[in-house]
């Protein structure tokens, strides 16, 4: 396979989501746990999901700055932010909103073009793929997919599940080709089709916002999240037999 941008056959390991988040999930352990709504069992995950076929070194490195910014933004989101507007919004510093938008766009693009571990999910980027590619690798200013952010703490019987990630996937409620990405209580939602309806509320659009105003939701039980129960059930099944297995530890990455 060759680099999808320039055709260079010397491709490198490109992480779909930055490896740093997998290390944060693992914490003091050697690995975290990965589970899916589409397959039984759990996998031990230390390195993260990567694809050796999509980018050369030059174009992989083009994403380093936005990945580094996104990692720091997520890691400090809760400690650096504060509740405003009677607790309805969460204000957080965002000195480089352009890099935050590029970070989310890059994670979505890598997930959408990679053929690694697609399971049965609809991950097609459609007409947005060439626009995203131009935005990320050609510094195009003609495409600026709108982004909103939310503080969304997921709990299980009232206990926060902080070390939790849902990889980029298509969401619902904001029109065609809208994607969501949940990282450690921070949820990003991006419209790849900026003209789909309903529109994002202007007050919450993050694209040029510093400070950024994120929605500040009440904690939500994981059982109320779509597909979460399917993931939970599959975690207790053996990958080979599909029969119940021992209770896995709670550190996990979900798809």
């Amino acid at each position: 396979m060759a680099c999808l941008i320039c055709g260079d056959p010397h491709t490198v390991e490109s992480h779909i989501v930055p490896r740093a988040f997998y290390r944060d999930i693992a914490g003091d352990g050697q690995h975290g746990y990965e589970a899916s709504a589409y397959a039984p069992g759990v996998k031990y995950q230390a390195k993260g999901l990567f694809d050796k076929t999509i980018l050369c070194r030059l174009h992989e490195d083009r994403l380093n700055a936005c990945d580094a910014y996104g990692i720091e933004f997520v890691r400090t989101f809760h400690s650096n932010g504060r509740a405003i507007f009677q607790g309805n919004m969460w204000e957080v510093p965002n000195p480089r909103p352009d890099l935050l938008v590029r970070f989310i766009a890059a994670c979505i693009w890598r997930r959408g073009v990679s053929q690694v571990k697609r399971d049965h999910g609809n991950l097609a980027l459609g007409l947005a793929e060439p626009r995203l590619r131009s935005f990320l690798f050609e510094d195009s200013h003609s495409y600026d997919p709108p982004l909103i952010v939310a503080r969304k703490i997921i709990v299980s019987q009232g206990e926060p599940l902080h070390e939790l990630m849902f990889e980029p996937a298509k969401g619902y409620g904001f029109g065609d080709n809208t994607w969501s990405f949940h990282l450690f209580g921070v949820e990003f939602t991006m419209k790849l089709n900026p003209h789909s309806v309903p529109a994002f509320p202007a007050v919450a659009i993050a694209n040029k916002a510093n400070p950024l105003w994120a929605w500040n939701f009440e904690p939500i039980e994981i059982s109320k999240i779509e597909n979460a129960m399917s993931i939970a059930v599959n975690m207790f099944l053996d990958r080979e037999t599909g029969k119940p297995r021992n209770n896995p530890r709670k550190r996990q990455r979900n798809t």
Side-chain angles (χ1 to χ4, degrees), residues 155-159 221-222:
V155 300
S156 176
Q157 298 180 347
E159 180 183 355
E221 279 286 336
I222 193 169

Side-chain angles (χ1 to χ4, degrees), residues 174-245:
F174 280 106
D176 175 59
N177 220 352
T178 297
W179 289 62
S180 293
F181 184 18
H182 184 96
L183 288 159
F184 304 91
V186 190
E187 187 165 271
F188 301 93
T189 305
M190 176 173 278
K191 276 179 175 283
L192 299 190
N193 177 4
H195 307 293
S196 65
V197 292
F200 284 161
V203 68
I205 293 178
N207 294 57
K208 294 179 174 63
N210 181 34
L212 181 152
W213 290 355
W215 300 112
N216 190 24
F217 294 128
E218 292 292 328
I220 182 171
E221 279 286 336
I222 193 169
S223 60
K224 296 181 179 180
I225 297 175
E226 186 175 4
N227 278 340
M229 292 309 296
S230 296
I231 293 171
V233 169
N234 281 338
M235 289 184 71
F236 290 93
L237 300 178
D238 184 86
R239 290 173 58 190
E240 301 298 330
T241 67
K243 296 180 179 180
R245 59 183 294 276

Side-chain angles (χ1 to χ4, degrees), residues 12-237:
V12 298
E13 289 185 359
S14 182
H15 282 80
I16 308 302
V17 173
R19 183 179 181 180
F21 291 126
Y22 293 88
R23 297 310 310 151
D24 288 348
I25 288 173
D28 296 332
Q30 293 184 349
H31 50 70
Y33 290 83
E34 173 184 328
S36 172
Y38 305 104
V42 296
K43 296 180 180 178
Y44 301 120
Q45 186 61 272
K47 193 173 183 179
L49 188 64
F50 62 90
D51 193 327
K52 297 180 179 180
T53 70
I54 61 176
L55 291 174
C56 66
R57 172 53 58 195
L58 174 66
H59 288 100
E60 170 71 7
D61 289 348
R62 286 290 301 273
L63 303 178
N64 286 348
C66 64
D67 280 352
Y69 186 86
I71 292 166
E72 183 65 14
F73 181 87
V74 171
R75 284 175 171 173
T76 62
F77 180 85
H78 300 289
S79 59
N80 283 357
R82 67 186 183 101
I84 59 173
F85 298 127
Q86 291 78 48
N88 292 313
M89 304 294 287
W90 187 257
E91 183 181 72
V92 62
N94 184 33
R96 289 293 305 274
D98 59 316
L99 288 181
L100 184 65
V101 172
R102 288 175 65 85
F103 164 65
I104 298 302
C107 291
I108 292 172
W109 181 82
R110 288 181 297 221
R111 178 61 283 183
V113 300
S114 174
Q115 297 303 308
V116 173
K117 201 176 180 298
R118 294 180 77 89
D119 290 326
H120 301 287
N122 177 10
L123 300 174
L125 296 171
L127 296 176
E129 193 282 321
R131 298 173 186 168
L132 274 178
R133 191 179 348 124
S134 180
F135 174 69
L136 292 169
F137 300 104
E138 300 173 15
D139 296 324
S140 171
H141 299 289
S142 63
Y143 184 59
D144 189 24
L147 171 70
I148 58 174
V149 184
R151 184 172 184 258
K152 190 174 181 180
I153 308 298
I154 297 175
V155 300
S156 176
Q157 298 180 347
E159 180 183 355
L161 300 174
H162 183 70
E163 294 91 358
L164 189 68
M165 172 168 63
F166 293 93
E167 288 181 354
K170 289 185 179 180
Y172 301 94
F174 280 106
D176 175 59
N177 220 352
T178 297
W179 289 62
S180 293
F181 184 18
H182 184 96
L183 288 159
F184 304 91
V186 190
E187 187 165 271
F188 301 93
T189 305
M190 176 173 278
K191 276 179 175 283
L192 299 190
N193 177 4
H195 307 293
S196 65
V197 292
F200 284 161
V203 68
I205 293 178
N207 294 57
K208 294 179 174 63
N210 181 34
L212 181 152
W213 290 355
W215 300 112
N216 190 24
F217 294 128
E218 292 292 328
I220 182 171
E221 279 286 336
I222 193 169
S223 60
K224 296 181 179 180
I225 297 175
E226 186 175 4
N227 278 340
M229 292 309 296
S230 296
I231 293 171
V233 169
N234 281 338
M235 289 184 71
F236 290 93
L237 300 178

